[in-house]
Amino acid sequence: MYTLEDNLILYSFAEESGLLNQAVKLAEVDSEDVDFEINRIVRTLLGFAAEHGFDGNLWHGYIAYHIAMNENPFSLIKEKRNVFNGGMADMAKKDCKVLRKLFNLDAVLVKKYPEIDSFVKIRDFNNVDFKVSDESKAILQLRDDLEEESSDDELFFQTISRFYERYGTGALGLSKTFTVKVDDGKTCFSPVRNTENIRLSDLIGYEIQKQRLEENTKAFLNKKPANNVLLFGDGGTGKSTSIRAIANQYYEDGLRIIQVYRHQMKYLSQIIDKIKKRNYRFIIYMDDLSFEDFETEYKYLKAVIEGGLEARPENVLIYATSNRRHLIKETWNDRNDVEQDQDMHRSDSMAEKLSLSERFGVQIYYGKPSKDEFHKIVETLALRENIKTDLEELRKEATKWEIRHGGVSGRSARQFIDYIKGTEENTR
């Protein structure tokens, strides 16, 4: 009987080794508590399926998940599509033989314990709440591909290699967007698994703004010179929506977006250090960015964008949204140190505060729509949502809505359409 620790070289399944080794033990030796042990494995797999939206063969999905998420020398080299030397290839192939045995362990257990039907059922599981994230879709595809090649060591190895070359490895490879978690001063990335599937074309109007954002992002993805971007302007005009849209549009091109909150800015250097050698293009995204006069966190951001000893990696850009163009609140006290030299006026305090926004090479303004543009947004959304209300009546009600609910904006148009859709459905 083997254990994972004895047989795997490159892969490490420390957190999962208890469950996997228990399954191996049940396959190798007889156990008096076989019902209890198998049911414990089944419970774990059912919880795993509920978390990730998996169906079908849950054992195969479980193994495929840990293959996909394991960051090791083999998976990281294949992520960059680099050729590894003979020794590394031999170790990877040896590990894949062990992984194939683990993958096929479900058939061994079913054959050995035919009287225990709980394990049989999780080999063809029907998940009623079957909602799959992009990450899970990729892993389920890997599972299906491995099932086709599960009888041959070399084909199994090649399937895993192709997966890493296409998607990469770990959470950064399989998800579009991330938040940052900090535990005891150390950062880690938490995937945002359920994101709205929106594209820039879904944002009505703002054609010039969308074009400028696309041009800069495409240049970045094509490894051409690109700038940090500040999207500023009125609330509810689509700034944050634009960022979510490019996350969806350019995921297949290797774009990943990491949202960093203001209180996490002191960890920016640590965050960048974790991503600078990965084979993706990262946008560090800061939503609703602004600072009061007494807040100094912006200095961490300034150091990262420009002016630190270590240059910002070429695979990292900063995108931010704000209602303020200059990001840092100015006060009249900032003018106390104004110096006059002939016709020139200079204030160190004001220059310090303005210097942050100046570090964003592309600044895109999102203004409130006119009344006619607001009605156009409402009408377009109504057609998309199959609203039955007469257009003339819809315009009148939309005008009443924006007066009562904060004025004209894409956000208020969306809220109005949701209200109309809800009232229409209630009257059917």
Side-chain angles (χ1 to χ4, degrees), residues 254-281:
L255 181 65
R256 303 293 183 267
I257 293 183
I258 300 173
Q259 182 168 6
V260 175
Y261 297 100
R262 187 171 56 187
H263 68 276
Q264 298 173 327
M265 284 188 183
K266 62 183 177 181
Y267 301 106
L268 278 172
S269 296
Q270 187 182 139
I271 292 167
I272 290 174
D273 192 58
K274 288 177 177 287
I275 61 180
K276 64 184 180 182
K277 295 182 180 179
R278 297 300 296 267
N279 195 37
Y280 309 103
R281 314 296 284 179

Side-chain angles (χ1 to χ4, degrees), residues 412-425:
S412 63
R414 176 75 263 178
Q415 292 169 345
F416 170 68
I417 289 299
D418 288 342
Y419 165 75
I420 292 295
K421 187 176 180 180
T423 55
E424 281 190 348
E425 289 178 351

Side-chain angles (χ1 to χ4, degrees), residues 35 38-39 42 115-123:
D35 292 76
I38 286 185
N39 287 336
V42 168
E115 70 280 5
I116 303 178
D117 64 350
S118 59
F119 205 83
V120 174
K121 291 178 180 177
I122 56 94
R123 298 180 78 202

Side-chain angles (χ1 to χ4, degrees), residues 262 265-269 296-305:
R262 187 171 56 187
M265 284 188 183
K266 62 183 177 181
Y267 301 106
L268 278 172
S269 296
T296 59
E297 292 94 338
Y298 70 90
K299 294 185 178 181
Y300 295 107
L301 180 56
K302 283 180 62 178
V304 166
I305 292 178

